[in-house]
Amino acid sequence: MIGSYASAGAWGARYGPVLIRRMLDRERSGTYVVLVLAELALVAAFAGVLVALLIVTRDEPLWLRALGVGTVAMATCGAVVWVVEAAARWSWSVRRPERLVLAAAPSGAASTAVLRSRGSFATPLTNAILVTAWCAFMVVLTAPVPWAAVVFGLATLASCARLAPFALGRASAGGVYLTPTAVELRWGVRSASVPWETVRGAPDDLAHGLAGATDATGDRAFPVDVPLDVTDQPFAGRVAVPVAYLWLRADELSELIGWYATQPVLRAHLGTQESLTWRPTAPSAVTMADGDTFT
């Protein structure tokens, strides 16, 4: 029986985030309702099991109680994170601005930018808070054994470091900044730059990163990183582009990047007022040629 549960847990850890991400990316109210209800049911189930374990394991050895109750408590926290993410994505899907703005890129250059909502911090911030809360819960659970309580107390203090970028205001929602020379990226405490010369066309899957960045172009503004969500891990050789909370949909941004990759003359005007209305599907953009003048 334990093996069956372990196998189910391993399957869920491998495929669960991918399935949930696909549901979230559809941005349909019905899908969000189903997902939120399913996650709430899962939270309720885990919470019920947690309370039951706390009651029935009162006379069990501490190590066994801590193992069982701690594991279920961690699973409950994970389910809560997905509820928060689904609610935040639902809210964002109905109020996405769908527009470009002029903004300073991480390098300081003028850019035509696709900004990102601070809702992108919903998952990492909630996760950091719940990990700290879980460690504190384990301190209480292991209180009868001082050395174990001290270990979890130190873990609680260490986990507070993950909250530092948010508490100190060093984490930035950032976005994707299109400058005349490069595509610049910023999220959390990291930024990167991808020269236009390395962009061969429309990226096939921005959720798995943008190819072309080098280690020399990356920068971290704070020692403690803001971890990416498990569904936003980039492929090897690519720089992360969290797309969930951008002001444009991922497919629209990919098309825009691919369009500018083939329009070097137009790239020279990125960061100017004219570029705010240029899109691959806009009449002004479709009829514009390299020899046209700009006013």
Side-chain angles (χ1 to χ4, degrees), residues 190-193 212-220 237-239:
R190 289 185 178 272
S191 59
S193 179
T214 63
D215 293 339
T217 60
D219 181 54
R220 189 164 74 178
R238 296 190 179 192
V239 63

Side-chain angles (χ1 to χ4, degrees), residues 58-153:
R58 285 178 296 185
D59 299 327
E60 297 295 333
L62 181 62
W63 69 268
L64 183 59
R65 190 183 197 209
L67 177 62
V69 174
T71 300
V72 176
M74 185 179 293
T76 304
C77 290
V80 170
V81 170
W82 280 115
V83 172
V84 172
E85 175 69 1
R89 288 285 300 273
W90 191 357
S91 173
W92 178 245
S93 68
V94 299
R95 58 187 182 87
R96 177 184 282 114
E98 293 283 356
R99 61 187 175 89
L100 303 171
V101 296
L102 299 181
S107 66
S111 75
T112 303
V114 180
L115 299 182
R116 183 180 292 108
S117 166
R118 290 186 64 83
S120 61
F121 292 146
T123 297
L125 180 57
T126 302
N127 202 8
I129 292 173
L130 289 178
V131 167
T132 304
W134 179 82
C135 291
F137 171 74
M138 294 302 290
V139 170
V140 176
L141 187 66
T142 58
V145 180
W147 70 265
V150 169
V151 169
F152 280 109

Side-chain angles (χ1 to χ4, degrees), residues 210-267:
L210 183 64
T214 63
D215 293 339
T217 60
D219 181 54
R220 189 164 74 178
F222 193 70
V224 181
D225 207 349
V226 177
L228 287 172
D229 186 86
V230 66
T231 58
D232 284 322
Q233 297 298 327
F235 290 144
R238 296 190 179 192
V239 63
V241 187
V243 298
Y245 294 89
L246 287 171
W247 285 18
L248 292 182
R249 291 176 58 90
D251 56 343
E252 295 175 338
L253 176 58
S254 179
E255 188 176 280
L256 187 66
I257 291 175
W259 182 65
Y260 273 116
T262 61
Q263 300 282 349
V265 173
L266 298 189
R267 291 202 303 264

